[in-house]
Amino acid sequence: QVQLVESGGGLVQAGGSLRLSCAASGRTFSSYAMGWFRQAPGKEREFVAAINWSGASTYYADFVKGRFTISRDNAKNTVYLQMTSLKPEDTAVYYCAADRVVVTATRANYWGQGTQVTVSS
């Protein structure tokens, strides 16, 4: 089992950038696929991005392509979400997720507690 702790959220102006981090416990981090989801007030949680165990393959929701980048450092047991050109509609709680096989829009077995990202206009 893996435990996930997100950090890096905060308040930023539209057009700005933030980098979220997700630190994972355990010695088998490199065997997990990882991902990021978000949930805005009054909305369903939605998939943002995913990365495979090695970092060689990444996947993005259409609404973040070209603006967000997911990456991982297996030596540090950490996955990142670099967010640029932020928009007010990116405001949400961002969750880190993990799975032994793959993280997709409908699959993830482990979740962090979330970190708030607020983008002001």
PDB file of all heavy atoms in Angstrom, residues 20-42:
ATOM      1  N   LEU A  20       2.756  21.479  -8.159  1.00  0.00           N
ATOM      2  CA  LEU A  20       2.281  20.605  -7.102  1.00  0.00           C
ATOM      3  C   LEU A  20       3.231  19.423  -6.968  1.00  0.00           C
ATOM      4  O   LEU A  20       3.778  18.938  -7.966  1.00  0.00           O
ATOM      5  CB  LEU A  20       0.875  20.095  -7.408  1.00  0.00           C
ATOM      6  CG  LEU A  20      -0.192  21.145  -7.683  1.00  0.00           C
ATOM      7  CD1 LEU A  20      -1.538  20.470  -7.888  1.00  0.00           C
ATOM      8  CD2 LEU A  20      -0.270  22.169  -6.576  1.00  0.00           C
ATOM      9  N   SER A  21       3.397  18.985  -5.739  1.00  0.00           N
ATOM     10  CA  SER A  21       4.200  17.799  -5.460  1.00  0.00           C
ATOM     11  C   SER A  21       3.352  16.785  -4.720  1.00  0.00           C
ATOM     12  O   SER A  21       2.445  17.142  -3.969  1.00  0.00           O
ATOM     13  CB  SER A  21       5.414  18.160  -4.607  1.00  0.00           C
ATOM     14  OG  SER A  21       6.252  19.078  -5.269  1.00  0.00           O
ATOM     15  N   CYS A  22       3.671  15.531  -4.922  1.00  0.00           N
ATOM     16  CA  CYS A  22       3.007  14.449  -4.203  1.00  0.00           C
ATOM     17  C   CYS A  22       4.079  13.478  -3.738  1.00  0.00           C
ATOM     18  O   CYS A  22       4.712  12.808  -4.562  1.00  0.00           O
ATOM     19  CB  CYS A  22       1.998  13.752  -5.097  1.00  0.00           C
ATOM     20  SG  CYS A  22       1.255  12.274  -4.375  1.00  0.00           S
ATOM     21  N   ALA A  23       4.276  13.432  -2.437  1.00  0.00           N
ATOM     22  CA  ALA A  23       5.273  12.537  -1.847  1.00  0.00           C
ATOM     23  C   ALA A  23       4.611  11.231  -1.454  1.00  0.00           C
ATOM     24  O   ALA A  23       3.555  11.226  -0.811  1.00  0.00           O
ATOM     25  CB  ALA A  23       5.909  13.196  -0.642  1.00  0.00           C
ATOM     26  N   ALA A  24       5.215  10.134  -1.841  1.00  0.00           N
ATOM     27  CA  ALA A  24       4.661   8.816  -1.571  1.00  0.00           C
ATOM     28  C   ALA A  24       5.522   8.067  -0.573  1.00  0.00           C
ATOM     29  O   ALA A  24       6.749   8.159  -0.604  1.00  0.00           O
ATOM     30  CB  ALA A  24       4.556   8.013  -2.857  1.00  0.00           C
ATOM     31  N   SER A  25       4.853   7.328   0.294  1.00  0.00           N
ATOM     32  CA  SER A  25       5.577   6.496   1.254  1.00  0.00           C
ATOM     33  C   SER A  25       5.859   5.143   0.614  1.00  0.00           C
ATOM     34  O   SER A  25       5.271   4.773  -0.400  1.00  0.00           O
ATOM     35  CB  SER A  25       4.741   6.302   2.511  1.00  0.00           C
ATOM     36  OG  SER A  25       3.570   5.582   2.194  1.00  0.00           O
ATOM     37  N   GLY A  26       6.762   4.393   1.221  1.00  0.00           N
ATOM     38  CA  GLY A  26       7.002   3.036   0.770  1.00  0.00           C
ATOM     39  C   GLY A  26       8.163   2.907  -0.186  1.00  0.00           C
ATOM     40  O   GLY A  26       8.579   3.877  -0.828  1.00  0.00           O
ATOM     41  N   ARG A  27       8.677   1.690  -0.283  1.00  0.00           N
ATOM     42  CA  ARG A  27       9.851   1.434  -1.105  1.00  0.00           C
ATOM     43  C   ARG A  27       9.508   0.969  -2.510  1.00  0.00           C
ATOM     44  O   ARG A  27      10.409   0.689  -3.293  1.00  0.00           O
ATOM     45  CB  ARG A  27      10.719   0.377  -0.423  1.00  0.00           C
ATOM     46  CG  ARG A  27      11.350   0.872   0.868  1.00  0.00           C
ATOM     47  CD  ARG A  27      12.127  -0.236   1.549  1.00  0.00           C
ATOM     48  NE  ARG A  27      11.238  -1.248   2.104  1.00  0.00           N
ATOM     49  CZ  ARG A  27      11.668  -2.327   2.725  1.00  0.00           C
ATOM     50  NH1 ARG A  27      12.957  -2.561   2.840  1.00  0.00           N
ATOM     51  NH2 ARG A  27      10.811  -3.190   3.230  1.00  0.00           N
ATOM     52  N   THR A  28       8.209   0.900  -2.816  1.00  0.00           N
ATOM     53  CA  THR A  28       7.814   0.393  -4.123  1.00  0.00           C
ATOM     54  C   THR A  28       7.177   1.468  -4.999  1.00  0.00           C
ATOM     55  O   THR A  28       6.447   1.166  -5.920  1.00  0.00           O
ATOM     56  CB  THR A  28       6.826  -0.776  -3.962  1.00  0.00           C
ATOM     57  OG1 THR A  28       5.680  -0.312  -3.234  1.00  0.00           O
ATOM     58  CG2 THR A  28       7.476  -1.936  -3.247  1.00  0.00           C
ATOM     59  N   PHE A  29       7.485   2.724  -4.707  1.00  0.00           N
ATOM     60  CA  PHE A  29       6.882   3.832  -5.459  1.00  0.00           C
ATOM     61  C   PHE A  29       7.087   3.658  -6.953  1.00  0.00           C
ATOM     62  O   PHE A  29       6.193   3.923  -7.748  1.00  0.00           O
ATOM     63  CB  PHE A  29       7.496   5.152  -4.998  1.00  0.00           C
ATOM     64  CG  PHE A  29       7.075   6.331  -5.824  1.00  0.00           C
ATOM     65  CD1 PHE A  29       5.821   6.891  -5.678  1.00  0.00           C
ATOM     66  CD2 PHE A  29       7.950   6.892  -6.756  1.00  0.00           C
ATOM     67  CE1 PHE A  29       5.434   7.986  -6.436  1.00  0.00           C
ATOM     68  CE2 PHE A  29       7.571   7.984  -7.515  1.00  0.00           C
ATOM     69  CZ  PHE A  29       6.312   8.533  -7.354  1.00  0.00           C
ATOM     70  N   SER A  30       8.260   3.226  -7.345  1.00  0.00           N
ATOM     71  CA  SER A  30       8.572   3.141  -8.780  1.00  0.00           C
ATOM     72  C   SER A  30       7.728   2.102  -9.508  1.00  0.00           C
ATOM     73  O   SER A  30       7.714   2.073 -10.738  1.00  0.00           O
ATOM     74  CB  SER A  30      10.051   2.837  -8.986  1.00  0.00           C
ATOM     75  OG  SER A  30      10.380   1.587  -8.401  1.00  0.00           O
ATOM     76  N   SER A  31       7.005   1.273  -8.772  1.00  0.00           N
ATOM     77  CA  SER A  31       6.155   0.278  -9.419  1.00  0.00           C
ATOM     78  C   SER A  31       4.731   0.776  -9.626  1.00  0.00           C
ATOM     79  O   SER A  31       3.914   0.092 -10.245  1.00  0.00           O
ATOM     80  CB  SER A  31       6.129  -1.011  -8.599  1.00  0.00           C
ATOM     81  OG  SER A  31       5.480  -0.810  -7.361  1.00  0.00           O
ATOM     82  N   TYR A  32       4.424   1.965  -9.131  1.00  0.00           N
ATOM     83  CA  TYR A  32       3.069   2.502  -9.222  1.00  0.00           C
ATOM     84  C   TYR A  32       2.929   3.480 -10.379  1.00  0.00           C
ATOM     85  O   TYR A  32       3.809   4.318 -10.606  1.00  0.00           O
ATOM     86  CB  TYR A  32       2.693   3.242  -7.944  1.00  0.00           C
ATOM     87  CG  TYR A  32       2.380   2.347  -6.769  1.00  0.00           C
ATOM     88  CD1 TYR A  32       3.383   1.842  -5.974  1.00  0.00           C
ATOM     89  CD2 TYR A  32       1.064   2.031  -6.463  1.00  0.00           C
ATOM     90  CE1 TYR A  32       3.101   1.032  -4.892  1.00  0.00           C
ATOM     91  CE2 TYR A  32       0.756   1.227  -5.378  1.00  0.00           C
ATOM     92  CZ  TYR A  32       1.780   0.726  -4.597  1.00  0.00           C
ATOM     93  OH  TYR A  32       1.481  -0.082  -3.532  1.00  0.00           O
ATOM     94  N   ALA A  33       1.804   3.384 -11.071  1.00  0.00           N
ATOM     95  CA  ALA A  33       1.388   4.455 -11.957  1.00  0.00           C
ATOM     96  C   ALA A  33       0.812   5.570 -11.081  1.00  0.00           C
ATOM     97  O   ALA A  33       0.231   5.299 -10.025  1.00  0.00           O
ATOM     98  CB  ALA A  33       0.342   3.973 -12.944  1.00  0.00           C
ATOM     99  N   MET A  34       0.994   6.811 -11.513  1.00  0.00           N
ATOM    100  CA  MET A  34       0.567   7.953 -10.708  1.00  0.00           C
ATOM    101  C   MET A  34      -0.296   8.906 -11.539  1.00  0.00           C
ATOM    102  O   MET A  34      -0.207   8.904 -12.779  1.00  0.00           O
ATOM    103  CB  MET A  34       1.793   8.713 -10.188  1.00  0.00           C
ATOM    104  CG  MET A  34       2.753   7.876  -9.360  1.00  0.00           C
ATOM    105  SD  MET A  34       2.029   7.308  -7.816  1.00  0.00           S
ATOM    106  CE  MET A  34       1.721   8.873  -6.980  1.00  0.00           C
ATOM    107  N   GLY A  35      -1.072   9.706 -10.846  1.00  0.00           N
ATOM    108  CA  GLY A  35      -1.892  10.649 -11.581  1.00  0.00           C
ATOM    109  C   GLY A  35      -2.359  11.795 -10.711  1.00  0.00           C
ATOM    110  O   GLY A  35      -2.147  11.803  -9.498  1.00  0.00           O
ATOM    111  N   TRP A  36      -2.965  12.769 -11.371  1.00  0.00           N
ATOM    112  CA  TRP A  36      -3.575  13.917 -10.695  1.00  0.00           C
ATOM    113  C   TRP A  36      -5.025  14.051 -11.162  1.00  0.00           C
ATOM    114  O   TRP A  36      -5.322  13.902 -12.358  1.00  0.00           O
ATOM    115  CB  TRP A  36      -2.815  15.202 -11.022  1.00  0.00           C
ATOM    116  CG  TRP A  36      -1.465  15.287 -10.403  1.00  0.00           C
ATOM    117  CD1 TRP A  36      -0.272  14.919 -10.963  1.00  0.00           C
ATOM    118  CD2 TRP A  36      -1.155  15.774  -9.088  1.00  0.00           C
ATOM    119  NE1 TRP A  36       0.757  15.145 -10.082  1.00  0.00           N
ATOM    120  CE2 TRP A  36       0.242  15.677  -8.924  1.00  0.00           C
ATOM    121  CE3 TRP A  36      -1.918  16.299  -8.037  1.00  0.00           C
ATOM    122  CZ2 TRP A  36       0.896  16.076  -7.754  1.00  0.00           C
ATOM    123  CZ3 TRP A  36      -1.275  16.686  -6.888  1.00  0.00           C
ATOM    124  CH2 TRP A  36       0.115  16.574  -6.750  1.00  0.00           C
ATOM    125  N   PHE A  37      -5.878  14.343 -10.191  1.00  0.00           N
ATOM    126  CA  PHE A  37      -7.281  14.636 -10.445  1.00  0.00           C
ATOM    127  C   PHE A  37      -7.596  15.966  -9.773  1.00  0.00           C
ATOM    128  O   PHE A  37      -6.815  16.446  -8.956  1.00  0.00           O
ATOM    129  CB  PHE A  37      -8.178  13.542  -9.851  1.00  0.00           C
ATOM    130  CG  PHE A  37      -8.072  12.218 -10.542  1.00  0.00           C
ATOM    131  CD1 PHE A  37      -6.932  11.427 -10.417  1.00  0.00           C
ATOM    132  CD2 PHE A  37      -9.109  11.740 -11.320  1.00  0.00           C
ATOM    133  CE1 PHE A  37      -6.826  10.196 -11.060  1.00  0.00           C
ATOM    134  CE2 PHE A  37      -9.031  10.510 -11.961  1.00  0.00           C
ATOM    135  CZ  PHE A  37      -7.888   9.743 -11.822  1.00  0.00           C
ATOM    136  N   ARG A  38      -8.755  16.522 -10.088  1.00  0.00           N
ATOM    137  CA  ARG A  38      -9.168  17.741  -9.409  1.00  0.00           C
ATOM    138  C   ARG A  38     -10.675  17.754  -9.234  1.00  0.00           C
ATOM    139  O   ARG A  38     -11.406  17.106  -9.982  1.00  0.00           O
ATOM    140  CB  ARG A  38      -8.687  18.965 -10.178  1.00  0.00           C
ATOM    141  CG  ARG A  38      -9.420  19.234 -11.486  1.00  0.00           C
ATOM    142  CD  ARG A  38      -8.784  20.397 -12.224  1.00  0.00           C
ATOM    143  NE  ARG A  38      -9.556  20.789 -13.391  1.00  0.00           N
ATOM    144  CZ  ARG A  38      -9.166  21.724 -14.248  1.00  0.00           C
ATOM    145  NH1 ARG A  38      -8.012  22.382 -14.072  1.00  0.00           N
ATOM    146  NH2 ARG A  38      -9.934  22.028 -15.289  1.00  0.00           N
ATOM    147  N   GLN A  39     -11.097  18.518  -8.234  1.00  0.00           N
ATOM    148  CA  GLN A  39     -12.525  18.661  -7.981  1.00  0.00           C
ATOM    149  C   GLN A  39     -12.818  20.105  -7.606  1.00  0.00           C
ATOM    150  O   GLN A  39     -12.308  20.598  -6.599  1.00  0.00           O
ATOM    151  CB  GLN A  39     -13.001  17.715  -6.882  1.00  0.00           C
ATOM    152  CG  GLN A  39     -14.506  17.724  -6.693  1.00  0.00           C
ATOM    153  CD  GLN A  39     -14.988  16.590  -5.814  1.00  0.00           C
ATOM    154  OE1 GLN A  39     -14.240  16.004  -5.041  1.00  0.00           O
ATOM    155  NE2 GLN A  39     -16.267  16.258  -5.938  1.00  0.00           N
ATOM    156  N   ALA A  40     -13.614  20.740  -8.428  1.00  0.00           N
ATOM    157  CA  ALA A  40     -14.045  22.111  -8.167  1.00  0.00           C
ATOM    158  C   ALA A  40     -15.344  22.078  -7.359  1.00  0.00           C
ATOM    159  O   ALA A  40     -16.069  21.078  -7.392  1.00  0.00           O
ATOM    160  CB  ALA A  40     -14.258  22.857  -9.479  1.00  0.00           C
ATOM    161  N   PRO A  41     -15.643  23.158  -6.645  1.00  0.00           N
ATOM    162  CA  PRO A  41     -16.868  23.187  -5.836  1.00  0.00           C
ATOM    163  C   PRO A  41     -18.100  22.903  -6.685  1.00  0.00           C
ATOM    164  O   PRO A  41     -18.286  23.492  -7.751  1.00  0.00           O
ATOM    165  CB  PRO A  41     -16.891  24.621  -5.300  1.00  0.00           C
ATOM    166  CG  PRO A  41     -15.463  25.043  -5.297  1.00  0.00           C
ATOM    167  CD  PRO A  41     -14.839  24.380  -6.475  1.00  0.00           C
ATOM    168  N   GLY A  42     -18.916  21.977  -6.210  1.00  0.00           N
ATOM    169  CA  GLY A  42     -20.154  21.652  -6.902  1.00  0.00           C
ATOM    170  C   GLY A  42     -19.998  20.811  -8.147  1.00  0.00           C
ATOM    171  O   GLY A  42     -20.967  20.574  -8.864  1.00  0.00           O
TER     172      GLY A  42
END
